[in-house]
Amino acid sequence: MSKLVAVVPPGELGVGPAPLEEGSSVISILYMEKLRFGQENFLSEVTALGALVSSSGKTAELRLAMRLSILLLLLLLPGPPPALGMEDASFPHLGESSQPPPRACPPRCSCPRADTVDCDGLDLRVFPDNITRAAQHLSLQNNQLQELPYNELSRLSGLRTLNLHNNLISSEGLPDEAFESLTQLQHIYVAHNKLSVAPQFLPRSLRVADLAANEVTEIFPLTFGEKPALRSVYLHNNQLSNAGLPPDAFRGSEAVTTLSLSSNRLSYVPPSLPPSLERLHLQDNLISKVPRGALSRQTHLRELYLQHNRLADSGLDATTFSKLHCLEYLDLSHNQLAAVPAGLPRTLAVLHLGRNRIRWVEAARLRGMRGLRYLLLQHNQLGTAGLPAGALRPLRGLHTLHLYGNGLDHVPQALPRRLRALVLPHNRVTTLGAHDLAATPRLTELNLAYNCLASARVHPRAFRRLRALRSLDLAGNQLTRLPTGLPAGLHTLRLQRNQLRALEPEPLAGLDQLQELSLAHNRLRVGDIGPGTWHELQALQVLDLSHNELSFVPPDLPEALEELHLQGNRISHVGPEAFLSTPRLRALFLRANRLHMTSIAPEAFLGLPHLRMVDTTGNPEHVLVRLPPTAPRRPWAGGP
């Protein structure tokens, strides 16, 4: 191996120097030697050279030894050495750091991006300082701020989003000139504060303004006016009356699509609303009138909410809705209407007239509304003559008809053939004839709960045409036996709160798709359940026999059963073979029976590997429950 030659100025060590190329330096030559010898051999050679110099005892040589030590440290670093006389841009200089300077951010806030400052939920009482001028999105919601200093806001001229939701800011704490310099502001959220009046001026660049849930009684022409980009305005839950809403409130703002004025104190629909509106919320006001022409320019309106007002028939006329050629959703519920309004748009898909005083439905007022899919007339005063035969026949596309809570004594005749859901609970229907439902063969849901149906007045062929029926609710009637002729495709059958005293297999025959059967709150005893009653219920998963008069678990329950309700009976003993026919059982409810500590046989649950819960609360004694070893131990056991 060749030896290392030290390259030093001539005469320093009294040895002849190795030849230097022009422009070479001591450091660069040593680095080349390191590459030639390798790190380990080079280190040993330099160390030997240092020892040689130390033994000479010369001052100049000691200086050279120190220089060589420094060179050694430099050469141990990876990579080529910097050229002497040239500045290394990546090397930190005095007063500098190798890391980028920290981003300016107010204390306790977070600044995930250079243009975003998030001070949400910090209980701040003073507007934070040190907010970068580059901020475009500032969130100060959920704090305790009472005012916005003008000098702080004025320097944030690049703001696009300002979120002040849920603070304590009053109108006095929001100076009129606060937003003058925010010429790029697009979204402002000041909901849930203490504003008594709206700001007199908001930037022209605004797109969304949320001033909801304040105490605003007045807005001004330039609050929302002259805003060509404004799309959404939220003013609900304030104290606005018609006097506080100027006629030119939206002049020059021809792009507003959503306006929420609900839960205020308006007594009539304001005139001069933006013609571009698509959604208008006016619910929960004091509106008793829609002035003629108030809605004549809103030809793009799709959703109109007028529920929970004081509208009577006299507050509307045949022209009220006549210009709304795009209207799809109209909610007039919770008013004082005695009739279906005239002049309804033919484009309606949903018409909500529930909880009014409607006594009669005139067919002419629904004519032409072939696209109507949902008609809600619940809780009105419709009696025997309230729905004349064929009154709803023009509604060819009707999907759902809600009539619960009226005074109807029979199922309306000549209903639309495409009807899928007929909801008639809490009426006075006493009879179900053979042809009452024949005109609606596509029904999938029929709800006749809580009427006055007796078994003798339900025709055996009443359900014959309902081959698509999946849900039948006859709860809360006066049935003493199961109806016959039930559709084979039923998935859900509810018969709770009747007067059933016996169950026979015939009415349930063929219901091999039934998944849920409720027989709760009847008068059933085990001896009154005929043999084979459950035999064809091969898909039954939920069976509710609660609150009857059962003294033990009924035998031969369906094999697919997963949930069994037996609470509120007279069961005093559960034998070892009680659940042999239900190996898929997951939940068992036995609370409020007559069980004692040892009433349940230890072997009762052995064949139930899926059992997850047994509820035995509310019995005379604490009941000992032993779940099978493979099941998680989550019994609900309780004493009296």
Side-chain angles (χ1 to χ4, degrees), residues 454-478:
S455 293
R457 297 196 175 188
V458 178
H459 197 278
R461 304 177 68 182
F463 308 104
R464 180 176 58 89
R465 297 288 301 275
L466 305 183
R467 297 177 181 176
L469 197 65
R470 298 293 178 264
S471 176
L472 176 58
D473 195 339
L474 294 169
N477 280 280
Q478 301 168 17

mmCIF file of all heavy atoms in Angstrom, residues 454-478:
data_model
loop_
_atom_site.group_PDB
_atom_site.id
_atom_site.type_symbol
_atom_site.label_atom_id
_atom_site.label_comp_id
_atom_site.label_asym_id
_atom_site.label_seq_id
_atom_site.Cartn_x
_atom_site.Cartn_y
_atom_site.Cartn_z
ATOM 1 N N ALA A 454 -113.565 -4.479 13.369
ATOM 2 C CA ALA A 454 -113.876 -5.728 14.061
ATOM 3 C C ALA A 454 -113.727 -6.884 13.072
ATOM 4 O O ALA A 454 -113.885 -6.712 11.852
ATOM 5 C CB ALA A 454 -115.288 -5.688 14.626
ATOM 6 N N SER A 455 -113.438 -8.056 13.582
ATOM 7 C CA SER A 455 -113.190 -9.211 12.703
ATOM 8 C C SER A 455 -114.370 -9.488 11.784
ATOM 9 O O SER A 455 -114.197 -9.838 10.610
ATOM 10 C CB SER A 455 -112.879 -10.448 13.556
ATOM 11 O OG SER A 455 -111.642 -10.285 14.218
ATOM 12 N N ALA A 456 -115.576 -9.317 12.308
ATOM 13 C CA ALA A 456 -116.760 -9.618 11.504
ATOM 14 C C ALA A 456 -116.924 -8.659 10.331
ATOM 15 O O ALA A 456 -117.656 -8.961 9.375
ATOM 16 C CB ALA A 456 -118.002 -9.575 12.387
ATOM 17 N N ARG A 457 -116.251 -7.504 10.357
ATOM 18 C CA ARG A 457 -116.412 -6.512 9.304
ATOM 19 C C ARG A 457 -115.198 -6.404 8.393
ATOM 20 O O ARG A 457 -115.120 -5.464 7.601
ATOM 21 C CB ARG A 457 -116.717 -5.151 9.930
ATOM 22 C CG ARG A 457 -118.029 -5.154 10.700
ATOM 23 C CD ARG A 457 -118.501 -3.757 10.972
ATOM 24 N NE ARG A 457 -119.817 -3.751 11.598
ATOM 25 C CZ ARG A 457 -120.543 -2.655 11.801
ATOM 26 N NH1 ARG A 457 -120.067 -1.481 11.409
ATOM 27 N NH2 ARG A 457 -121.726 -2.723 12.371
ATOM 28 N N VAL A 458 -114.279 -7.328 8.509
ATOM 29 C CA VAL A 458 -113.152 -7.402 7.587
ATOM 30 C C VAL A 458 -113.422 -8.556 6.630
ATOM 31 O O VAL A 458 -113.420 -9.729 7.026
ATOM 32 C CB VAL A 458 -111.822 -7.610 8.332
ATOM 33 C CG1 VAL A 458 -110.670 -7.739 7.341
ATOM 34 C CG2 VAL A 458 -111.561 -6.450 9.300
ATOM 35 N N HIS A 459 -113.688 -8.233 5.394
ATOM 36 C CA HIS A 459 -114.053 -9.259 4.420
ATOM 37 C C HIS A 459 -112.882 -10.215 4.186
ATOM 38 O O HIS A 459 -111.728 -9.790 4.117
ATOM 39 C CB HIS A 459 -114.464 -8.599 3.106
ATOM 40 C CG HIS A 459 -115.227 -9.503 2.190
ATOM 41 N ND1 HIS A 459 -114.605 -10.423 1.361
ATOM 42 C CD2 HIS A 459 -116.574 -9.632 1.974
ATOM 43 C CE1 HIS A 459 -115.512 -11.081 0.684
ATOM 44 N NE2 HIS A 459 -116.725 -10.617 1.030
ATOM 45 N N PRO A 460 -113.148 -11.519 4.055
ATOM 46 C CA PRO A 460 -112.059 -12.486 3.825
ATOM 47 C C PRO A 460 -111.238 -12.204 2.574
ATOM 48 O O PRO A 460 -110.090 -12.633 2.481
ATOM 49 C CB PRO A 460 -112.809 -13.818 3.703
ATOM 50 C CG PRO A 460 -114.107 -13.608 4.404
ATOM 51 C CD PRO A 460 -114.455 -12.173 4.203
ATOM 52 N N ARG A 461 -111.810 -11.451 1.633
ATOM 53 C CA ARG A 461 -111.094 -11.164 0.389
ATOM 54 C C ARG A 461 -110.637 -9.704 0.310
ATOM 55 O O ARG A 461 -110.287 -9.213 -0.756
ATOM 56 C CB ARG A 461 -111.980 -11.496 -0.801
ATOM 57 C CG ARG A 461 -112.474 -12.948 -0.786
ATOM 58 C CD ARG A 461 -113.416 -13.241 -1.941
ATOM 59 N NE ARG A 461 -112.720 -13.202 -3.216
ATOM 60 C CZ ARG A 461 -113.333 -13.388 -4.382
ATOM 61 N NH1 ARG A 461 -114.647 -13.607 -4.427
ATOM 62 N NH2 ARG A 461 -112.650 -13.345 -5.510
ATOM 63 N N ALA A 462 -110.612 -9.037 1.455
ATOM 64 C CA ALA A 462 -110.264 -7.609 1.459
ATOM 65 C C ALA A 462 -108.849 -7.350 0.946
ATOM 66 O O ALA A 462 -108.589 -6.324 0.314
ATOM 67 C CB ALA A 462 -110.418 -7.046 2.872
ATOM 68 N N PHE A 463 -107.936 -8.288 1.194
ATOM 69 C CA PHE A 463 -106.537 -8.082 0.813
ATOM 70 C C PHE A 463 -106.137 -8.888 -0.428
ATOM 71 O O PHE A 463 -104.962 -8.957 -0.758
ATOM 72 C CB PHE A 463 -105.624 -8.472 1.983
ATOM 73 C CG PHE A 463 -105.985 -7.820 3.289
ATOM 74 C CD1 PHE A 463 -106.644 -8.538 4.284
ATOM 75 C CD2 PHE A 463 -105.690 -6.493 3.514
ATOM 76 C CE1 PHE A 463 -106.980 -7.938 5.481
ATOM 77 C CE2 PHE A 463 -106.020 -5.880 4.715
ATOM 78 C CZ PHE A 463 -106.675 -6.603 5.700
ATOM 79 N N ARG A 464 -107.107 -9.473 -1.093
ATOM 80 C CA ARG A 464 -106.829 -10.426 -2.164
ATOM 81 C C ARG A 464 -106.000 -9.820 -3.293
ATOM 82 O O ARG A 464 -105.108 -10.476 -3.836
ATOM 83 C CB ARG A 464 -108.146 -10.962 -2.710
ATOM 84 C CG ARG A 464 -108.018 -11.976 -3.855
ATOM 85 C CD ARG A 464 -109.382 -12.517 -4.247
ATOM 86 N NE ARG A 464 -110.290 -11.448 -4.638
ATOM 87 C CZ ARG A 464 -110.411 -10.977 -5.879
ATOM 88 N NH1 ARG A 464 -109.662 -11.487 -6.837
ATOM 89 N NH2 ARG A 464 -111.253 -9.999 -6.160
ATOM 90 N N ARG A 465 -106.256 -8.570 -3.663
ATOM 91 C CA ARG A 465 -105.573 -7.960 -4.818
ATOM 92 C C ARG A 465 -104.218 -7.367 -4.459
ATOM 93 O O ARG A 465 -103.489 -6.927 -5.355
ATOM 94 C CB ARG A 465 -106.468 -6.864 -5.401
ATOM 95 C CG ARG A 465 -107.807 -7.355 -5.948
ATOM 96 C CD ARG A 465 -107.623 -8.118 -7.240
ATOM 97 N NE ARG A 465 -106.979 -7.301 -8.257
ATOM 98 C CZ ARG A 465 -107.638 -6.462 -9.067
ATOM 99 N NH1 ARG A 465 -108.951 -6.349 -8.990
ATOM 100 N NH2 ARG A 465 -106.990 -5.754 -9.973
ATOM 101 N N LEU A 466 -103.866 -7.340 -3.181
ATOM 102 C CA LEU A 466 -102.648 -6.633 -2.753
ATOM 103 C C LEU A 466 -101.440 -7.564 -2.781
ATOM 104 O O LEU A 466 -100.822 -7.859 -1.755
ATOM 105 C CB LEU A 466 -102.849 -6.040 -1.353
ATOM 106 C CG LEU A 466 -104.063 -5.125 -1.184
ATOM 107 C CD1 LEU A 466 -104.114 -4.550 0.218
ATOM 108 C CD2 LEU A 466 -104.055 -4.006 -2.227
ATOM 109 N N ARG A 467 -101.093 -8.000 -3.960
ATOM 110 C CA ARG A 467 -99.997 -8.969 -4.078
ATOM 111 C C ARG A 467 -98.630 -8.347 -3.827
ATOM 112 O O ARG A 467 -97.673 -9.073 -3.546
ATOM 113 C CB ARG A 467 -100.040 -9.595 -5.473
ATOM 114 C CG ARG A 467 -101.326 -10.381 -5.733
ATOM 115 C CD ARG A 467 -101.374 -10.919 -7.153
ATOM 116 N NE ARG A 467 -102.624 -11.647 -7.394
ATOM 117 C CZ ARG A 467 -102.968 -12.167 -8.563
ATOM 118 N NH1 ARG A 467 -102.132 -12.037 -9.600
ATOM 119 N NH2 ARG A 467 -104.108 -12.796 -8.705
ATOM 120 N N ALA A 468 -98.528 -7.040 -3.916
ATOM 121 C CA ALA A 468 -97.243 -6.368 -3.671
ATOM 122 C C ALA A 468 -97.083 -5.907 -2.231
ATOM 123 O O ALA A 468 -96.030 -5.363 -1.869
ATOM 124 C CB ALA A 468 -97.100 -5.160 -4.603
ATOM 125 N N LEU A 469 -98.100 -6.142 -1.395
ATOM 126 C CA LEU A 469 -98.077 -5.636 -0.023
ATOM 127 C C LEU A 469 -96.958 -6.288 0.783
ATOM 128 O O LEU A 469 -96.823 -7.515 0.802
ATOM 129 C CB LEU A 469 -99.425 -5.891 0.648
ATOM 130 C CG LEU A 469 -99.698 -5.068 1.918
ATOM 131 C CD1 LEU A 469 -99.791 -3.588 1.581
ATOM 132 C CD2 LEU A 469 -100.989 -5.532 2.597
ATOM 133 N N ARG A 470 -96.167 -5.444 1.461
ATOM 134 C CA ARG A 470 -95.080 -5.917 2.302
ATOM 135 C C ARG A 470 -95.272 -5.588 3.770
ATOM 136 O O ARG A 470 -94.728 -6.274 4.641
ATOM 137 C CB ARG A 470 -93.739 -5.324 1.823
ATOM 138 C CG ARG A 470 -93.359 -5.727 0.394
ATOM 139 C CD ARG A 470 -93.063 -7.217 0.320
ATOM 140 N NE ARG A 470 -92.736 -7.639 -1.040
ATOM 141 C CZ ARG A 470 -93.604 -8.158 -1.889
ATOM 142 N NH1 ARG A 470 -94.890 -8.298 -1.530
ATOM 143 N NH2 ARG A 470 -93.249 -8.526 -3.101
ATOM 144 N N SER A 471 -96.020 -4.545 4.069
ATOM 145 C CA SER A 471 -96.230 -4.146 5.462
ATOM 146 C C SER A 471 -97.709 -3.872 5.693
ATOM 147 O O SER A 471 -98.314 -3.050 4.989
ATOM 148 C CB SER A 471 -95.412 -2.882 5.778
ATOM 149 O OG SER A 471 -95.675 -2.435 7.093
ATOM 150 N N LEU A 472 -98.283 -4.562 6.684
ATOM 151 C CA LEU A 472 -99.694 -4.392 7.044
ATOM 152 C C LEU A 472 -99.790 -4.122 8.529
ATOM 153 O O LEU A 472 -99.339 -4.929 9.351
ATOM 154 C CB LEU A 472 -100.495 -5.640 6.682
ATOM 155 C CG LEU A 472 -101.971 -5.644 7.090
ATOM 156 C CD1 LEU A 472 -102.725 -4.470 6.477
ATOM 157 C CD2 LEU A 472 -102.628 -6.974 6.716
ATOM 158 N N ASP A 473 -100.363 -2.972 8.884
ATOM 159 C CA ASP A 473 -100.499 -2.583 10.288
ATOM 160 C C ASP A 473 -101.981 -2.487 10.629
ATOM 161 O O ASP A 473 -102.695 -1.606 10.133
ATOM 162 C CB ASP A 473 -99.814 -1.235 10.535
ATOM 163 C CG ASP A 473 -99.610 -0.959 12.019
ATOM 164 O OD1 ASP A 473 -100.320 -1.564 12.849
ATOM 165 O OD2 ASP A 473 -98.729 -0.136 12.349
ATOM 166 N N LEU A 474 -102.442 -3.421 11.479
ATOM 167 C CA LEU A 474 -103.827 -3.445 11.968
ATOM 168 C C LEU A 474 -103.867 -3.304 13.477
ATOM 169 O O LEU A 474 -104.849 -3.697 14.124
ATOM 170 C CB LEU A 474 -104.497 -4.748 11.533
ATOM 171 C CG LEU A 474 -104.693 -4.926 10.015
ATOM 172 C CD1 LEU A 474 -105.121 -6.352 9.697
ATOM 173 C CD2 LEU A 474 -105.709 -3.933 9.478
ATOM 174 N N ALA A 475 -102.841 -2.749 14.066
ATOM 175 C CA ALA A 475 -102.766 -2.601 15.517
ATOM 176 C C ALA A 475 -103.873 -1.684 16.017
ATOM 177 O O ALA A 475 -104.377 -0.815 15.304
ATOM 178 C CB ALA A 475 -101.401 -2.044 15.912
ATOM 179 N N GLY A 476 -104.244 -1.903 17.281
ATOM 180 C CA GLY A 476 -105.166 -0.986 17.935
ATOM 181 C C GLY A 476 -106.578 -1.006 17.397
ATOM 182 O O GLY A 476 -107.268 0.019 17.432
ATOM 183 N N ASN A 477 -107.030 -2.141 16.890
ATOM 184 C CA ASN A 477 -108.411 -2.269 16.447
ATOM 185 C C ASN A 477 -109.186 -3.172 17.414
ATOM 186 O O ASN A 477 -108.817 -3.278 18.591
ATOM 187 C CB ASN A 477 -108.438 -2.798 15.007
ATOM 188 C CG ASN A 477 -108.173 -1.698 13.993
ATOM 189 O OD1 ASN A 477 -109.063 -0.925 13.647
ATOM 190 N ND2 ASN A 477 -106.931 -1.616 13.506
ATOM 191 N N GLN A 478 -110.237 -3.823 16.915
ATOM 192 C CA GLN A 478 -111.070 -4.663 17.776
ATOM 193 C C GLN A 478 -111.140 -6.094 17.242
ATOM 194 O O GLN A 478 -112.149 -6.785 17.389
ATOM 195 C CB GLN A 478 -112.472 -4.055 17.872
ATOM 196 C CG GLN A 478 -112.481 -2.635 18.426
ATOM 197 C CD GLN A 478 -113.828 -1.942 18.250
ATOM 198 O OE1 GLN A 478 -114.852 -2.589 18.005
ATOM 199 N NE2 GLN A 478 -113.830 -0.623 18.379
#
